[in-house]
Each structure stands twice: as structure tokens, then as C-alpha cells.
Amino acid sequence: MGTLLPPQPLVLILFNPFAGQAYHLKQTLESAADIWRKNGWDVELRPTQAPGDATVQARDAASKGFDVVVAAGGDGTVNEVMNGLVGTSTALAVLPIGTVNIWARELGLSMDLRRVAAAFLQAQIEQIDVGKAGTRYFLLMAGIGFDAAVTATINPREKKMLGAIAYVKQALQLSLCFQGIKSHIRIDGKRIKGKILMVVIGNSQLYGGVVKLTAHAVVNDGLLDVCIIKGRSMLVAPLRLLSVFRRRYNLDPKVEYYRAQKVQIKGKKTFPVQIDGDYLGITPMNFEVVVGGLRVLVPPSVDKSLWTDSYIGEGSLK
């Protein structure tokens, strides 16, 4: 399983000087880089300049033969970097200094950057799937409906100050007025109708870094996991979410769970869409899996439930 890095890999660290406490952690990033340098890695550290710049720099690094591009930031930075690496032979790694750091948590990484750097010394390169929402790729998940509305309306200053608490605060406020929307969903051709509160299309398992809404997701099975939560109002959402948190999808008729290669969502009214925690746009939108689209650096501590040695194929878990 996996391939080894070359003895002296060429590595680029892209850090977002505005993510979390990144501005104050540049010396810590240098310390992490020094751990790699002492083990023969050729490491360069560069800041990103503006939104989208990490994608441009990552794509350029891949074209120049870098073995690894490290996203030092939050999940938004990770998403930007991986969008520049999809379809290339350059691997993605992460140094978590953002708000939630979901991908780092999926990999079982410490939030201590020096420990992360040490863990990656034993890492291997793995090929994984990614999702595609419209024309943009996502590593973790796409959210359609309520959670995307929260993401779209959250106050950036509160997010920086309060972290994950800012999302909880905004969700509680929005839940009082958010209504289900009549939508048409196609999952590998299967038609799903009804009033939809929220759809999560997961490539990985963790949602918000805390719970597993797509608990059966596997990153290399050639499929995306789809959790659909139906209802008229978010006032009934706690009952729906209880079923999801207990992973008893089949006991609640308002919760449906599928595995699919393609998902299409449309309706007379639009839904907001977020990917990897950042607002993307509105429906109608098509979603699909890009099989084996990304190479990632994976430490020995990774959660083995995220991986499979065999192709699972299509099917519903409802």
C-alpha cells in the first residue's frame, strides 16, 4: 500500500499568513521545515498572496517537478492547494494551523507542527479520490442547503476570533428561519424528491472536525457518500441529526444515505453550496467523483477505516 518518497524529496510549503495564527507561527513553520531538512529534504517556504494564489503556486510547483506541496493553513488553504495538484504526480501534505483542520484530523495528526513534521518522515504516498462540484474540486465534502447557508453568512471577523464557535452561533441563529426547499436530486440516475434541508456529499468521514455525517466514506473506493436530510424546518433537525450521529440512517425515513459516482441537484429555488468549509455558489450544480485524482502524503497513524484495498462499487445504504 502506497509508495515511498525519494530519499531527498523536493518540497514546497505554502502558508496562508491570514489563517488562524499563521502570521505568528512562521518561526514554528521554519522549525518544522528544519526537521525535514535535517533528514535530507529540500524544503522551500512561501507565503500565499491572495485568494486563489495557493492553487496557482501549487500547479506551478507540480509542473516544475516538486515531489510534495504542503498546505500550511486551514481547510480552505488545503482546498486551494489540492485544486492545483489534482491530476499531477505531486503529493499533497498538510501542516495544520487553521480553524478546524479537518483533513489533518482525518489523518490522525497532532496539532503540534513539529510532531506533524516528524510523522511525515515515515509517510507514504497514496492515491485517493476527490470530489468535483461544478468546475471545482473538493477533498473533504460538499454541503448543500443549511450548512452552506451558515458558511455563506458567517462573519469573517467572528470566525477568526471564535473559531468553530462562530459556526455554532450562526447555525443557531439561522435555524430559526431556515425552511426545507423542494428539490430534485439524481444520484447515479436515481430520482430523489422532497423538501430538503441539507445534503452532504462526502469524500471523507469527518464533518466539521467533530462528527461523521458520511461515516461510511472511503477515500479510495471510487465513490462519494451522500447523506440527505429532509424536512420542512430546521426545528426538526435535532431528530434527524440524532439518527445520523448514531449512524442509524435506515431508522429515520427523513434521512437517506447513498454511495454514488454522480449527483445532480436542482429545483425551482436555489440552494447555497459550500465545499471544504468555504462558500462556492448556488444550485443547480453537478457533483462527481474523480477516481484516483490526487496523491497525498499519509503518515502511519492514519485511520484505516478511511481506506480500502478493493473497489466497493455503487449502492444504497438506506
Side-chain angles (χ1 to χ4, degrees):
M1 182 178 175
T3 57
L4 296 175
L5 282 170
Q8 296 179 312
L10 186 58
V11 179
L12 173 64
I13 300 174
L14 294 176
F15 72 97
N16 178 0
F18 307 105
Q21 304 176 60
Y23 181 79
H24 304 288
L25 290 177
K26 188 171 186 296
Q27 292 304 313
T28 308
L29 289 174
E30 288 285 5
S31 297
D34 283 341
I35 291 173
W36 291 336
R37 291 179 181 126
K38 289 175 182 177
N39 283 270
W41 295 25
D42 185 349
V43 183
E44 183 179 345
L45 188 67
R46 287 187 212 157
T48 56
Q49 304 297 326
D53 183 51
T55 300
V56 174
Q57 290 203 51
R59 187 179 297 120
D60 181 63
S63 70
K64 291 178 178 177
F66 277 78
D67 298 293
V68 180
V69 176
V70 182
D75 294 307
T77 302
V78 174
N79 179 272
E80 283 200 13
V81 170
M82 62 84 67
N83 265 272
L85 299 181
V86 171
T88 75
S89 59
T90 301
L92 168 75
V94 59
L95 288 172
I97 53 174
T99 304
V100 184
N101 305 304
I102 298 175
W103 181 241
R105 295 179 190 278
E106 288 277 28
L107 295 181
L109 294 176
S110 166
M111 294 299 113
D112 182 296
L113 300 193
R114 295 175 185 86
R115 290 185 181 181
V116 174
F120 276 130
L121 290 173
Q122 308 300 321
Q124 292 187 332
I125 297 173
E126 303 285 354
Q127 199 93 14
I128 68 168
D129 308 327
V130 296
K132 190 175 183 182
T135 59
R136 191 166 177 84
Y137 301 106
F138 60 92
L139 175 62
L140 306 167
M141 49 75 192
I144 302 95
F146 176 72
D147 72 327
V150 171
T151 301
T153 57
I154 197 166
N155 185 308
R157 182 175 294 179
E158 286 191 351
K159 178 183 175 181
K160 192 170 184 66
M161 291 177 57
L162 302 176
I165 296 174
Y167 286 94
V168 176
K169 179 174 176 286
Q170 185 63 17
L172 290 174
Q173 292 177 345
L174 197 60
S175 65
L176 298 176
C177 59
F178 192 86
Q179 300 290 314
I181 298 174
K182 188 175 181 180
S183 301
H184 299 277
I185 303 174
R186 284 188 178 271
I187 299 177
D188 283 348
K190 177 182 174 65
R191 298 180 67 184
I192 310 292
K193 292 183 179 181
K195 283 190 176 289
I196 307 297
L197 290 168
M198 181 169 152
V199 179
V200 175
I201 302 174
N203 185 48
S204 63
Q205 298 176 5
L206 275 176
Y207 178 88
V210 181
V211 298
K212 295 187 176 184
L213 288 190
T214 50
H216 303 294
V218 175
V219 293
N220 63 341
D221 64 348
L223 298 164
L224 298 171
D225 284 38
V226 186
C227 182
I228 302 172
I229 300 175
K230 295 182 175 181
R232 294 180 177 274
S233 164
M234 283 303 294
L235 297 178
V236 300
L239 295 175
R240 307 285 83 84
L241 293 176
L242 182 61
S243 299
V244 173
F245 294 163
R246 294 171 61 201
R247 305 182 195 178
R248 306 297 292 273
Y249 306 102
N250 60 327
L251 297 184
D252 191 332
K254 296 295 185 180
V255 176
E256 299 183 19
Y257 195 106
Y258 300 89
R259 285 194 176 114
Q261 294 176 322
K262 295 184 178 181
V263 180
Q264 180 186 62
I265 301 178
K266 61 181 181 179
K268 291 182 179 180
K269 294 184 178 180
T270 62
F271 261 136
V273 179
Q274 62 90 3
I275 55 168
D276 291 350
D278 285 335
Y279 177 71
L280 178 64
I282 58 174
T283 57
M285 191 174 292
N286 295 332
F287 306 83
E288 63 181 310
V289 66
V290 180
V291 180
L294 181 69
R295 289 158 66 90
V296 293
L297 203 58
V298 178
S301 59
V302 69
D303 183 350
K304 299 301 188 292
S305 73
L306 278 173
W307 312 84
T308 180
D309 293 326
S310 60
Y311 184 80
I312 291 178
E314 299 178 44
S316 166
L317 293 178
K318 186 184 175 186

